[in-house]
Amino acid sequence: MAKKFPHAEVLGVDLVSPRLENPPRNCRFEVHDINDGLSKFYGTFDVVHARFIDSGLKDHHKFMLDAERCLKPGGVFVVICASHLLTEDDTPYPPFTQANPQGSWFQRIFFVMERGLKNQGNNMDISEGIFCEGLWNHKLLDRTSCRGAIFTPPIGLWASASDSHKNATIKKLGELWRNNLMTVNRHFEKGFLNAKRPAEEYPLYGPNIDEELLQDRHRSLMQVRALWGQSHGKNYKVSETFEGGASSSEGGFTLATIYSDQVQWGNRLSSYRANFTPEMKALINDSSFDVLKHHYEAEL
């Protein structure tokens, strides 16, 4: 961000200081737990950008209010989170189970991790509710500036487009997401153990997830959600550059859809979880469901 906008002063806030060689001069970092509040940053920023942090929040409502208070007049708040995998038909991708060995191991670990987060006090139902509601009713933001967006990039190299330039772009996008998820795959153990599933089941996930990602065994899409809105105080509306309901499609599926209507946005998000199968719900709510311990022992 700092490299792309050299005229801007960029502050990164995290629990640990990143190890970066030669960071841009306009970029600095501060070690801080945002769960402790952000009052020292109130009224400071033109843009507050929070990406993929919802699993570490203790109080989602408090964070949203705190982040919005950090804006200058006319400042923009952007929050992004990832959810479970999608099929090309915009439904939850089937997870691996003993009854469905053709399902996705990555989707399975997503559901197990959701249980782990609940057990450590982070109720993802609250996060889901906040995202379904959007930012339209937030008093510190101009309602007319608020938007929601769904981005659904492919995972892997299976997707294609007839146009050569678009095809190269979509292949690169799929490759980047695949590589990113392979890195994420190395950091699930703590959440898995918090889910109270048998520890001997965990070693099965890593190699199976790597294999399905590298071999493009699934035509799956990542579901990334974004919300943004502008604080009161300036005539220019950042969201005037986005048409409500606008979408971008490549390779036969929609890569991105932007919503200006709160009802349409809420219906889109709520319909996704409404399509969870009993197996998906069981992986979230029952640590004894479909235990793979015996499979692991047999392989040893």
Side-chain angles (χ1 to χ4, degrees):
M1 187 71 73
K3 290 179 179 179
K4 190 170 183 179
F5 302 98
H7 60 283
E9 293 295 325
V10 179
L11 171 67
V13 178
D14 208 338
L15 288 171
V16 295
S17 180
R19 298 176 181 177
L20 296 177
E21 294 184 4
N22 301 318
R25 292 184 177 181
N26 62 325
C27 179
R28 64 185 179 89
F29 294 91
E30 184 165 332
V31 176
H32 179 70
D33 186 349
I34 60 176
N35 289 301
D36 294 334
L38 296 170
S39 58
K40 64 180 178 178
F41 301 120
Y42 284 178
T44 301
F45 303 108
D46 295 301
V47 178
V48 173
H49 175 225
R51 184 177 65 216
F52 306 142
I53 65 168
D54 51 318
S55 62
L57 296 176
K58 297 177 182 178
D59 187 331
H60 294 78
H61 290 98
K62 178 179 180 294
F63 164 73
M64 299 289 271
L65 182 60
D66 252 359
E68 291 163 15
R69 284 175 170 165
C70 293
L71 296 172
K72 293 179 180 178
V76 178
F77 175 46
V78 183
V79 57
I80 301 173
C81 78
S83 190
H84 310 88
L85 307 187
L86 288 171
T87 68
E88 293 175 272
D89 297 323
D90 199 35
T91 58
Y93 204 93
F96 173 91
T97 62
Q98 294 176 78
N100 180 23
Q102 302 305 313
S104 167
W105 280 88
F106 208 102
Q107 183 76 314
R108 179 186 175 102
I109 195 69
F110 265 156
F111 288 119
V112 171
M113 288 293 292
E114 185 167 336
R115 176 170 179 79
L117 290 170
K118 282 186 176 182
N119 286 346
Q120 72 180 30
N122 188 329
N123 191 336
M124 296 307 291
D125 289 337
I126 296 176
S127 175
E128 186 72 17
I130 289 174
F131 257 82
C132 283
E133 181 180 298
L135 303 178
W136 285 270
N137 295 331
H138 289 216
K139 294 181 179 179
L140 295 180
L141 302 179
D142 180 349
R143 180 184 181 88
T144 64
S145 73
C146 295
R147 298 289 187 272
I150 300 286
F151 303 98
T152 50
I155 301 171
L157 304 179
W158 58 268
S160 62
S162 56
D163 178 83
S164 60
H165 177 71
K166 291 181 178 179
N167 187 62
T169 299
I170 205 168
K171 293 290 187 186
K172 187 63 177 180
L173 183 63
E175 179 186 11
L176 290 172
W177 269 100
R178 180 191 65 190
N179 295 345
N180 182 50
L181 294 183
M182 289 183 69
T183 300
V184 171
N185 182 29
R186 304 292 184 267
H187 302 278
F188 282 138
E189 186 170 11
K190 181 178 179 181
F192 178 89
L193 295 176
N194 284 336
K196 307 300 182 184
R197 295 190 66 87
E200 53 265 47
E201 180 182 294
Y202 182 70
L204 283 172
Y205 286 86
N208 279 293
I209 290 173
D210 281 349
E211 181 184 10
E212 75 174 47
L213 291 173
L214 287 171
Q215 296 184 3
D216 284 339
R217 284 171 44 195
H218 302 284
R219 296 172 66 91
S220 59
L221 309 169
M222 195 69 215
Q223 183 185 180
V224 181
R225 305 165 176 185
L227 297 170
W228 66 89
Q230 190 171 16
S231 65
H232 301 282
K234 285 191 176 181
N235 292 327
Y236 172 73
K237 297 294 188 297
V238 68
S239 290
E240 288 176 355
T241 58
F242 299 101
E243 295 294 332
S247 64
S248 172
S249 300
E250 300 287 353
F253 56 86
T254 301
L255 279 176
T257 305
I258 298 172
Y259 295 83
S260 60
D261 183 84
Q262 182 180 15
V263 174
Q264 291 180 356
W265 168 256
N267 288 342
R268 168 73 185 274
L269 265 61
S270 60
S271 66
Y272 175 74
R273 290 185 82 89
N275 288 321
F276 278 7
T277 64
E279 292 77 15
M280 296 172 183
K281 295 176 182 177
L283 286 169
I284 295 173
N285 298 314
D286 183 1
S287 60
S288 64
F289 173 73
D290 198 51
V291 172
L292 305 177
K293 176 180 179 181
H294 300 297
H295 284 228
Y296 177 63
E297 291 177 344
E299 289 184 6
L300 289 178

